Amino acid sequence: RVKEVSLPPPPLPTGTEIPAWAFLCSDAISIYLWGGFVISADDDCSHEIKSLLLLWRKAMANLNNILKSKDITLPTKVRIVKATDFPIVIYGCDSWTIRRAEHRKTDIFELWCWRRLLRVPWTARRSNQSILKEINPDCSLEGFVMKQKLQDFGHIMRREDSLEKTLMLGKIDGKRRRGQ
């Protein structure tokens, strides 16, 4: 649940003394929405992935006329979905820590997307492998996420002096004394 806190704190006094209310907070905010990102206190990205998958579902609904059109070939439809919908899901994926449950959710949702593109009903007994064989995607959604993470890592490593590169490599300038 997202809790909104909209009460502005009273102004601080001009003296050096800090009032007691500045240290006391009765409500802890567990989820914070900022710029389209969902930041949680426990550093769990499943909330963000769920919200992006819901946005992807809306985008697929907007493509309904294109997906139903018989004038557009299947490879063109696949390219349209990859160009319009995949960027929605991989937005901000470089900061995700993806666990097994999130892998499953993204795989299930990607297969739902391909089944909808092929207009295969859920009652049809078709395996996931046959769907993927017919679509023949170059790369799965997980592959796109991994590619994005590696590209961002490459950008960080090519920088000259940056805090991110120092943290990634674990290097600290200076010398240690002997025995420490």
Side-chain angles (χ1 to χ4, degrees), residues 22-133:
F23 295 108
L24 300 175
C25 181
S26 62
D27 296 331
I29 300 172
S30 61
I31 295 175
Y32 181 68
L33 303 173
W34 180 71
F37 293 104
V38 180
I39 301 169
S40 62
D42 59 352
D43 198 28
D44 185 19
C45 65
S46 63
H47 304 292
E48 186 174 353
I49 293 173
K50 284 179 189 177
S51 65
L52 289 173
L53 290 178
L54 288 174
L55 284 176
W56 190 12
R57 183 173 284 218
K58 283 184 182 179
M60 282 296 291
N62 292 338
L63 290 177
N64 207 12
N65 292 334
I66 294 172
L67 298 179
K68 288 182 178 179
S69 174
K70 296 189 182 209
D71 297 332
I72 302 173
T73 62
L74 183 63
T76 306
K77 289 179 185 179
V78 171
R79 283 191 211 122
I80 288 171
V81 169
K82 283 186 177 182
T84 59
D85 293 353
F86 274 29
I88 292 171
V89 179
I90 64 170
Y91 176 71
C93 68
D94 51 348
S95 65
W96 292 351
T97 303
I98 301 178
R99 297 180 184 91
R100 189 175 298 144
E102 284 84 22
H103 277 295
R104 277 189 47 244
K105 285 179 187 174
T106 54
D107 285 343
I108 289 169
F109 209 82
E110 182 183 9
L111 281 165
W112 173 84
C113 176
W114 297 138
R115 284 178 183 270
R116 181 161 179 169
L117 187 128
L118 292 173
R119 300 182 73 186
V120 176
W122 285 107
T123 56
R125 291 199 158 270
R126 287 193 57 188
S127 67
N128 294 339
Q129 304 305 327
S130 68
I131 298 290
L132 289 174
K133 193 173 193 178

